[in-house]
Amino acid sequence: MTKETQLQVEAIKNGSVIDHIPANIGIKVLKLFKMHKTNERVTIGLNLPSSALGAKDLIKIENVYISEEQANQLALYAPNATVNQIENYEVAKKLNLTLPQHIHGIFECPNSNCITHGEPVDSSFNVITKKEDIQLKCKYCEKVFSREIVTELR
Ligand code: CTP
Ligand code: ZN
């Protein structure tokens, strides 16, 4: 392997690799999805050069397989991310993300009067897409917010 073709972050034997995360979103994704709350080894690469994105972030979690459903929750942040499942050093599966119809327990409702702030209930939004526009409707207060408003609160 020449210097140019070496991996920027060491290969893993088993687990998940979340690739093509836009630069600066990696840390947010890691924390929001609590990927660091594990005893398994997590390696991250930030601001890695990428021919497609210019710069990208990347997260590798050993011995943890992210389900398709979990992966899709990432789509609001990083619609072009790829989730790879690694088995015995090989890419066994590559998940392309599709926007979920519902999103639970990840984002807070931007409406400060919403019942979700006073009660021990998980937030819950329906995802509404109008052409390129993505909006989230709170299941509890029924208010509709743009994707940017909801995701930037966290
Ligand atoms: N990877 C890893 N450990 C392995 C195998 C792959 O960490 N044992 C990582 C690679 O570094 C890469 C991702 O998993 O970030 C996907 O691997 P691969 O499909 O081989 O890379 P690309 O062809 O560059 O992927 P894409 O087509 O998604 O850009
Ligand atoms: Zn609400």
Side-chain angles (χ1 to χ4, degrees):
M1 208 184 257
T2 67
K3 215 171 178 194
E4 279 73 29
T5 58
Q6 265 170 11
L7 290 183
Q8 303 186 89
V9 178
E10 199 181 342
I12 61 172
K13 185 173 184 197
N14 294 298
S16 302
V17 175
I18 308 165
D19 202 352
H20 306 124
I21 304 169
N24 302 315
I25 302 281
I27 295 276
K28 221 173 182 180
V29 164
L30 188 81
K31 286 195 181 154
L32 201 51
F33 295 90
K34 300 188 170 65
M35 290 170 180
H36 55 308
K37 303 226 163 142
T38 170
N39 293 322
E40 299 294 346
R41 186 159 75 150
V42 177
T43 49
I44 57 176
L46 303 178
N47 298 320
L48 304 180
S50 154
S51 48
L53 302 173
K56 68 173 183 184
D57 291 349
L58 173 152
I59 301 171
K60 301 189 182 191
I61 311 168
E62 284 179 50
N63 302 316
V64 171
Y65 293 100
I66 295 175
S67 72
E68 208 152 328
E69 201 186 338
Q70 288 171 316
N72 286 340
Q73 305 272 304
L74 294 171
L76 271 185
Y77 269 110
N80 300 316
T82 321
V83 176
N84 302 274
Q85 299 191 346
I86 312 294
E87 289 174 23
N88 202 19
Y89 289 106
E90 303 273 321
V91 178
K93 204 169 175 194
K94 223 177 240 295
L95 307 175
N96 290 307
L97 309 187
T98 50
L99 207 59
Q101 288 180 311
H102 311 281
I103 188 150
H104 303 286
I106 295 173
F107 304 109
E108 280 172 24
C109 180
N111 171 11
S112 57
N113 293 322
C114 180
I115 190 169
T116 54
H117 299 301
E119 303 283 325
V121 290
D122 277 348
S123 70
S124 187
F125 297 92
N126 285 328
V127 178
I128 306 166
T129 45
K130 285 186 196 138
K131 291 179 188 162
E132 296 290 274
D133 221 35
I134 300 167
Q135 295 182 318
L136 300 182
K137 182 175 182 179
C138 176
K139 210 181 91 183
Y140 293 93
C141 69
E142 302 194 324
K143 288 203 186 314
V144 177
F145 306 94
S146 71
R147 181 195 76 94
E148 289 78 10
I149 299 252
V150 178
T151 57
E152 272 160 29
L153 280 179
R154 302 303 306 269

